[in-house]
Amino acid sequence: MLKKLLFITIFLICNSFLYSQSDQTILEAVSKAYDMEINSSFAYAKFSVASKNKAISSLFLSISDSKSCHANILYNAAIQDKITDTILKAQVGDPKVGTDIENLKSAQSMTSYEYSKMYPELLKVINKDSQKEMANEMNRIIKVEKAHNALYTQAINNLQNNKPLADKYYLCEICGYVEANSAPDKCPICGEAKNTFKEYK
């Protein structure tokens, strides 16, 4: 009898959780993503200042600015699609700063969560409400986050194997894409020209 009651309780909790996820409004989903972008931008800025490795510092600073770019994209999309007429807000936490490897792994984990879970969940809500332009913006951000994750993974591998790191990073200030070593002729995510890239070194 106790096992049966436990099973029913677990089922109801899981069902309630799934229902609350599916019943999430666009404003709630966008606000959650906005909060994450602001917090990760703040965390990466702190990691950048804490690092004594110039290349690691530049990597974190370029992606910190990219996260600010994504927060602006979310805010502008919310206003343009009339999801809200007020400023989106974030509760900024105090990130724990560790060694370069620890900070890189933390950033790697955050970007993985964003492109594999957070933004896909947001997309489900957006597609449900047929917000096509916003969906396009979010799909671009997912691609950028995957690129960020690859940069963090490469930096971790290079540090652990005593290999040289990229000495420069370039940020597309339109979509937030970051590329190592040299700026591309045009952004592979949004197609903007080379002159839209900002150099970090």
Side-chain angles (χ1 to χ4, degrees):
M1 182 66 178
L2 283 173
K3 285 184 178 179
K4 187 176 180 181
L5 285 172
L6 182 60
F7 175 80
I8 292 170
T9 302
I10 292 171
F11 173 79
L12 289 173
I13 290 171
C14 291
N15 193 52
S16 173
F17 175 78
L18 289 171
Y19 177 78
S20 66
Q21 290 293 304
S22 63
D23 200 41
Q24 190 174 213
T25 67
I26 291 187
L27 180 56
E28 288 169 340
V30 169
S31 295
K32 178 182 175 182
Y34 181 83
D35 185 88
M36 182 70 178
E37 294 291 2
I38 293 295
N39 274 279
S40 53
S41 176
F42 180 67
Y44 301 162
K46 285 194 76 171
F47 295 166
S48 174
V49 171
S51 180
K52 293 177 181 174
N53 184 313
K54 198 172 180 181
I56 297 297
S57 181
S58 295
L59 171 61
F60 276 128
L61 186 57
S62 64
I63 299 184
S64 172
D65 287 351
S66 171
K67 306 305 278 178
S68 295
C69 174
H70 289 173
N72 287 333
I73 289 171
L74 286 163
Y75 172 74
N76 290 334
I79 294 296
Q80 288 167 9
D81 290 332
K82 300 184 182 343
I83 291 166
T84 181
D85 57 1
T86 60
I87 296 173
L88 295 174
K89 295 180 181 178
Q91 290 187 325
V92 181
D94 187 17
K96 180 183 176 183
V97 177
T99 64
D100 282 343
I101 286 287
E102 288 170 340
N103 294 340
L104 285 166
K105 286 183 176 179
S106 176
Q108 182 189 45
S109 177
M110 281 192 278
T111 53
S112 178
Y113 164 74
E114 288 165 356
Y115 80 72
S116 66
K117 187 172 182 181
M118 185 180 77
Y119 277 108
E121 285 179 356
L122 174 55
L123 269 174
K124 285 180 186 176
V125 182
I126 291 170
N127 288 330
K128 187 178 171 184
D129 279 32
S130 301
Q131 299 281 358
K132 291 182 180 179
E133 185 52 41
M134 184 182 276
N136 290 337
E137 293 275 16
M138 298 309 108
N139 276 313
R140 283 193 285 271
I141 290 178
I142 287 173
K143 291 177 183 177
V144 170
E145 295 301 344
K146 285 182 179 179
H148 289 169
N149 188 265
L151 288 172
Y152 286 135
T153 301
Q154 186 65 57
I156 291 167
N157 290 338
N158 288 358
L159 277 180
Q160 290 177 332
N161 293 290
N162 294 316
K163 291 182 177 179
L165 297 160
D167 58 350
K168 295 178 184 177
Y169 291 91
Y170 293 83
L171 165 70
C172 173
E173 296 185 287
I174 304 302
C175 70
Y177 173 74
V178 175
E179 186 154 316
N181 296 314
S182 61
D185 290 332
K186 70 175 184 177
C187 179
I189 306 298
C190 67
E192 287 294 326
K194 190 173 186 175
N195 60 11
T196 65
F197 280 78
K198 179 181 178 181
E199 183 182 78
Y200 295 79
K201 63 179 181 178

